[in-house]
């Protein structure tokens, strides 16, 4: 694994005039942010050694290097989901590579179903914490000390300072910004009403099929993490409608401008 990470990072370093310190992983239907990037270099996953290929509908699968709100960033357009069949090491491989390039702050976004009764479709939620309900932890197996410690702390998996900054900006700009705990599940099924209820009862505010593996690895690697969920549907025992993938994509599209505005306002200040 170490060799692969180095090989991929070396390939990218050779292709890049400048290395990023900030990484962004964009969730399903949330790729619009890249339209605001002043692109320096764009590389399709298919052309990057050791990178898995992105398969899910709505993902175009490339790494984008460039300036966003004046900050040089690397953005992943399209991520690898566990439900697609990738193993946890593949899902989190790009985070390892980002770290090797020098990334120390990671922004993640996703589309999620809301269980919190205060939430509305289209809300943007700052992830304050997560509950890992994936069947596996990405750190399972041999630990490489050069990548991180065997038993990493998860007490501040999402940076308190970045959450505070987001709140400050949201206050100034009149953005309705919710806070909540993200429950990560393997999917690909959406939840039954009873499952949404169960996730709410154990302390979850939103549920989705991504993010947790990448955030665990980012923490292992010593990165600061900031996460946003766009609430694309609501679930619970009183809500019987099952979201379709298309509805989720559409709701994510509609909520994008707020998410983009917030991230762009944060970047120059981190
Ligand atoms: N459940 C799981 N993943 C999701 C949902 C949901 O309700 N909405 C968007 N992604």
């Amino acid at each position: 694994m170490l060799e692969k990470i180095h090989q991929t990072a070396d390939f990218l370093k050779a292709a890049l005039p400048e290395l990023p310190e900030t990484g962004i992983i964009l969730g399903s239907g949330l790729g619009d942010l890249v339209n605001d990037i002043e692109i320096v270099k764009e590389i399709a996953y298919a052309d990057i050694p050791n990178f898995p290929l992105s398969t899910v509908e709505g993902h175009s699968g490339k790494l984008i290097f460039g300036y966003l709100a004046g900050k040089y960033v690397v953005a992943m357009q399209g991520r690898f989901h566990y439900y697609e069949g990738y193993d946890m090491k593949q899902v989190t491989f790009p985070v390892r590579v980002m770290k090797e390039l020098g990334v120390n702050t990671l922004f993640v976004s996703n589309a999620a179903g809301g269980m919190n009764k205060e939430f509305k479709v289209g809300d943007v939620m700052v992830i304050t914490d997560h509950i890992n309900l994936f069947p596996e932890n990405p750190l399972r197996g041999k630990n490489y000390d050069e990548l991180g410690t065997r038993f990493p702390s998860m007490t501040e998996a999402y940076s308190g300072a970045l959450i505070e900054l987001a709140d400050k900006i949201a206050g100034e700009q009149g953005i309705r910004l919710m806070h909540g705990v993200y429950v990560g599940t393997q999917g690909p099924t959406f939840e039954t009403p009873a499952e949404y209820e169960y996730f709410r009862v154990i302390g979850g505010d939103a549920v989705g099929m991504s993010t947790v593996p990448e955030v665990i690895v980012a923490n292992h690697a010593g990165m600061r993490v900031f996460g946003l969920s766009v609430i694309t549907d609501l679930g619970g025992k009183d809500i019987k409608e099952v979201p379709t993938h298309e509805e989720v994509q559409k709701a994510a599209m509609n909520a994008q401008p707020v998410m983009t505005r917030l991230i762009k306002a944060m970047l120059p200040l981190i």
Side-chain angles (χ1 to χ4, degrees), residues 28-30 111 230-232 247-257:
S28 314
L30 297 172
V230 168
I231 306 301
T232 54
E247 281 163 356
V248 167
Q249 295 273 107
K250 194 162 160 257
M253 284 297 279
N254 292 340
Q256 284 196 97

Side-chain angles (χ1 to χ4, degrees), residues 111-113 190-191 196 207-209 232-233 243 248:
F190 290 115
E191 285 61 38
Y196 283 116
V207 54
M209 308 172 196
T232 54
D233 55 279
V248 167

